[in-house]
Amino acid sequence: MTEMSSVSRPAPMEGGGAYNRSSSVQAAGLSPAVPLFEQAAKTVQLPITPTPIVIADYGSSEGRNSLAPMSAAIRTLRNRVDPECAISVVHTDLAGNDFSALFQTLADDSDSYLRNNDAVFVSAVGRSFYEQILPSDSVTLGWSSWALQWLSRMPAPIPDQVHVNATRDATVRATYFRQANEDWRTFLKNRGRELRHGGQLVVLTMALDDNGDFGLRPLAKALYGALLGLADEGFIRPDEIKRMAIPMVSRSKEELAAPFSENEQFAGLSMIHLHVFNSEDQNWLAFKTDHDAKKFGARWAAFARASVFPTLALGLDGGRDDPRAAQFVNKFEDGMAVRLAAAPEPMRIPLANIVLVKNAS
Ligand SMILES: C[S@@+](CC[C@H](N)C(=O)[O-])C[C@H]1O[C@@H](n2cnc3c(N)ncnc32)[C@H](O)[C@@H]1O
């Protein structure tokens, strides 16, 4: 692999339970969306005929962070339907996701919604949510957290950074935002097909704050600095860094609302809630308690490792099979941890909460 491929796809999160272990920032960030999902379960139009109620989880990763929203929805639905009414939970993610870790979590975790819940059935789909992946008119409730910021593909290399929200290149920025707008519409069209009439979908995604800032700046700086450090020591080549990019975009409130601006509806969906907020930085809160800069750096580096290193490793000469791949992630994580520990500071984490309803027939 010597040239950057314009059709590169994002890689799933690091497997083997790594994402489950290193996603407490995401768990805290999605918590304000759980009451919205509970409310959706309370008010959603249910199937009249005794068919299973389908809850779809789009971009589940290894499932740990899906337990709270799924449990809340199941608990609420149980108050509305007979105990024997089947509830089917479908977790979806990219084909390469560690679905074994997901099923292990559901079997073993003390917070698993499968515990003490009869007539709840679980399955998984390994396909991109930028396609229709479930039957038309079959989903009653949809959930997606921390997944929509991932684009369907990497639209261009980023010459001066690995994250487009940090680049100074206006053309590249525009290319990514174009892709993000197209992907958002594609996602909505497919969910519009899959949801039943009256069905509801709750989305929690990374966003731009009112000043257009995507936050996480110290993280982005440490990430790029650590990569340059690996090049300085000759472990990777500058050419390889040029191929590395995270196909991810934090969208503004306006961009998220845009598809609904003309007719107030898009793909049969209405947006009934859109709220951008700043999530609390759990790693900073822990630092304020333990004053341990090393742990602060290590926590944020582990967050980056589990979520974006697998995609960045694709830029190595040999891609994911490069003989340096394992050492690359370890050295990269160490480099980030040291940089972040040197000057701990809180991160801004702007997120958007969205609720969509499929129009009743
Ligand atoms: C940061 S994780 C979020 C996991 C979990 N929902 C949470 O809130 O912590 C993002 C997940 O979205 C998945 N993802 C990214 N693009 C996707 C796509 N096109 N289709 C399905 N899943 C996708 C990734 O593989 C990853 O597992």
Side-chain angles (χ1 to χ4, degrees):
M1 188 163 111
T2 49
E3 268 177 36
M4 150 93 200
S5 158
S6 63
V7 291
S8 298
R9 303 273 187 262
M13 308 295 95
E14 187 179 8
Y19 182 81
N20 274 351
R21 285 190 298 276
S22 304
S23 53
S24 55
V25 167
Q26 290 93 327
L30 66 80
S31 58
V34 175
L36 294 175
F37 201 44
E38 214 167 353
Q39 180 63 15
K42 207 178 274 177
T43 57
V44 70
Q45 190 175 312
L46 297 178
I48 299 163
T49 49
T51 56
I53 296 173
V54 176
I55 307 177
D57 173 23
Y58 298 100
S60 60
S61 188
E62 297 173 332
R64 178 76 190 86
N65 286 347
S66 301
L67 300 182
M70 297 305 124
S71 300
I74 291 165
R75 208 170 36 241
T76 309
L77 287 171
R78 272 289 166 242
N79 291 331
R80 299 182 61 194
V81 297
D82 293 340
E84 61 274 12
C85 172
I87 297 178
S88 161
V89 180
V90 188
H91 297 282
T92 82
D93 208 292
L94 296 171
N97 180 54
D98 190 347
F99 286 106
S100 298
L102 169 94
F103 286 113
Q104 210 62 58
T105 301
L106 292 170
D108 299 342
D109 198 295
S110 55
D111 292 330
S112 170
Y113 58 79
L114 290 180
R115 295 194 171 211
N116 312 317
N117 259 322
D118 292 333
V120 173
F121 301 90
V122 60
S123 57
V125 173
R127 292 181 68 192
S128 168
F129 51 50
Y130 292 119
E131 301 168 65
Q132 181 174 352
I133 52 175
L134 290 167
S136 298
D137 303 316
S138 66
V139 175
T140 291
L141 284 175
W143 167 268
S144 182
S145 57
W146 287 93
L148 243 294
Q149 68 272 1
W150 285 95
L151 302 181
S152 58
R153 65 187 189 100
M154 188 194 297
I158 306 172
D160 58 338
Q161 274 293 340
V162 287
H163 193 299
V164 74
N165 287 101
T167 185
R168 290 171 188 277
D169 189 316
T171 309
V172 167
R173 218 180 135 78
T175 306
Y176 272 70
F177 275 82
R178 237 187 342 268
Q179 185 69 49
N181 289 337
E182 190 185 307
D183 283 349
W184 178 219
R185 284 165 174 76
T186 303
F187 179 86
L188 292 169
K189 279 181 196 161
N190 287 308
R191 301 302 78 77
R193 291 184 189 114
E194 293 167 358
L195 279 173
R196 299 174 62 91
H197 292 284
Q200 298 193 31
L201 170 66
V202 173
V203 176
L204 178 286
T205 184
M206 294 174 81
L208 296 179
D209 68 15
D210 289 344
N211 301 318
D213 187 15
F214 78 107
L216 297 168
R217 288 197 179 268
L219 189 73
K221 193 171 161 211
L223 197 134
Y224 199 58
L227 275 179
L228 295 180
L230 291 179
D232 283 347
E233 67 176 75
F235 183 73
I236 56 174
R237 292 181 306 99
D239 270 11
E240 294 180 296
I241 298 185
K242 284 217 172 79
R243 281 198 300 264
M244 292 179 188
I246 306 169
M248 196 189 260
V249 167
S250 296
R251 300 174 178 88
S252 68
K253 202 170 174 179
E254 291 69 30
E255 280 154 344
L256 291 166
F260 303 88
S261 62
E262 242 175 60
N263 301 320
E264 297 194 350
Q265 286 188 14
F266 184 82
L269 301 172
S270 301
M271 185 180 268
I272 57 168
H273 179 88
L274 169 60
H275 175 59
V276 172
F277 64 101
N278 192 42
S279 178
E280 226 165 16
D281 175 351
Q282 294 303 302
N283 295 337
W284 179 251
L285 290 183
F287 174 68
K288 281 207 305 191
T289 307
D290 63 19
H291 304 288
D292 189 331
K294 221 170 148 189
K295 272 193 191 153
F296 174 83
R299 287 192 187 105
W300 272 117
F303 163 96
R305 174 182 175 141
S307 47
V308 298
F309 283 16
T311 294
L312 292 172
L314 297 176
L316 295 172
D317 279 343
R320 76 178 82 236
D321 298 325
D322 192 287
R324 294 162 301 160
Q327 218 188 337
F328 168 72
V329 292
N330 289 335
K331 285 169 82 69
F332 192 4
E333 185 180 14
D334 290 346
M336 276 193 79
V338 167
R339 281 168 175 77
L340 288 156
E345 55 180 309
M347 312 264 176
R348 286 185 60 70
I349 312 174
L351 298 173
N353 259 334
I354 301 162
V355 183
L356 301 148
V357 181
K358 175 146 170 199
N359 306 319
S361 52

